[in-house]
Amino acid sequence: MSSAEAKSVAYFRNMSITIVLGAVVMLVLFSSCSGKKKELGAAITERDSLPVMDTRGVTTLISDSGVTRYRINTEEWQMFDRKNPSYWAFEKGIYLEKFDSLFQVEASIESDTAYYYDKKKLWELIGNVHVQNLKGEKFDTQLLYWDQSKQRVYSDKRVRIEQPDQIIYAWGFESNEQMTKYRFFKTDGIFYVDEDEGNAPADSLNTPAGGADVPADTLKANNNK
């Protein structure tokens, strides 16, 4: 082999080694970048599913337009700001009091689970929901919605309303935020309280005719005649 041929073979051999090394470096870099992208994507997904706040054993006051309006007691309060829609979760139960401008309790609400959709200003209360208004009337149901933007409380589930002289069963109702003006979608029965004995006779469970869309005050007046 001549000197020129030897130099040519050595040149192409070095060139091949350079190409192979370059390919190896590119593969390593590409794999590294892909790994980082996967890790970044996983981190973003994980962040979206994690609460921005997780607080235990909470008792706090919440103000609206600079005025204290609510007191919340809960075992666990989580905020999910990356969810769509974003919400607060109270999955270990909640007790909430609503105040008027004079700091008097207008209503108290408790339930096994609650979610507050902060953008919509909508509460969803689930499981053993108990509400008491300023007049001492008590409401019990398994599902209740409280729309703060519309100042409306409502449910389409069976509800029990305890008044001083009677207990009303109904399917669905809607009310103002103070739970003082409300109507039933469909009444299911009236249970009159015997003031002398502290209970009601067995035949006092009645279903009024046309028991849909009956205002509470009208229903009470008609049955006290």
Side-chain angles (χ1 to χ4, degrees):
M1 181 182 297
S2 66
S3 175
E5 290 176 345
K7 287 182 180 180
S8 178
V9 170
Y11 171 77
F12 284 110
R13 184 180 297 167
N14 291 335
M15 185 176 178
S16 299
I17 292 173
T18 301
I19 292 172
V20 170
L21 288 174
V24 170
V25 170
M26 289 296 292
L27 285 172
V28 170
L29 289 175
F30 181 77
S31 300
S32 177
C33 291
S34 298
K36 286 181 180 179
K37 287 181 180 179
K38 288 180 180 178
E39 289 175 4
L40 180 60
I44 291 173
T45 303
E46 185 178 5
R47 169 65 185 86
D48 289 348
S49 64
L50 292 175
V52 67
M53 185 194 80
D54 189 343
T55 308
R56 309 299 171 95
V58 179
T59 299
T60 187
L61 297 172
I62 298 178
S63 62
D64 185 6
S65 302
V67 179
T68 300
R69 290 296 189 187
Y70 312 100
R71 177 190 285 124
I72 292 178
N73 292 339
T74 183
E75 287 299 318
E76 182 180 60
W77 181 358
Q78 296 178 316
M79 287 186 180
F80 294 88
D81 63 329
R82 297 291 183 92
K83 292 288 188 178
N84 187 19
S86 59
Y87 64 89
W88 304 353
F90 306 86
E91 296 185 341
K92 294 186 177 181
I94 187 173
Y95 175 78
L96 185 147
E97 291 178 331
K98 183 180 184 300
F99 303 110
D100 63 12
S101 58
L102 299 177
F103 208 66
Q104 291 180 316
V105 177
E106 288 183 326
S108 63
I109 304 173
E110 60 182 323
S111 66
D112 291 344
T113 304
Y115 297 98
Y116 176 64
Y117 300 94
D118 53 312
K119 297 293 192 304
K120 299 179 180 179
K121 292 189 175 182
L122 176 66
W123 285 90
E124 181 183 19
L125 300 122
I126 306 168
N128 296 314
V129 183
H130 177 74
V131 182
Q132 183 166 330
N133 65 13
L134 189 60
K135 297 189 293 185
E137 296 174 323
K138 300 174 183 178
F139 302 74
D140 292 284
T141 185
Q142 291 300 311
L143 178 65
L144 187 71
Y145 293 98
W146 173 14
D147 190 332
Q148 291 179 302
S149 61
K150 296 181 180 179
Q151 299 182 338
R152 178 173 174 252
V153 178
Y154 60 95
S155 175
D156 61 356
K157 301 299 181 181
R158 195 167 194 261
V159 60
R160 176 185 185 273
I161 301 96
E162 182 177 337
Q163 297 176 339
D165 58 348
Q166 64 186 4
I167 297 173
I168 304 168
Y169 294 89
W171 283 96
F173 81 102
E174 64 178 357
S175 167
N176 60 351
E177 285 189 307
Q178 294 75 31
M179 302 289 286
T180 54
K181 296 180 180 179
Y182 50 88
R183 69 187 185 99
F184 312 119
F185 299 152
K186 182 179 180 181
T187 55
D188 197 21
I190 310 296
F191 189 80
Y192 298 104
V193 176
D194 187 334
E195 295 181 356
D196 295 331
E197 299 296 333
N199 51 30
D203 62 351
S204 63
L205 185 61
N206 302 306
T207 303
D213 295 335
V214 183
D217 293 340
T218 302
L219 181 64
K220 185 174 179 180
N222 288 342
N223 285 288
N224 282 338
K225 289 181 180 179

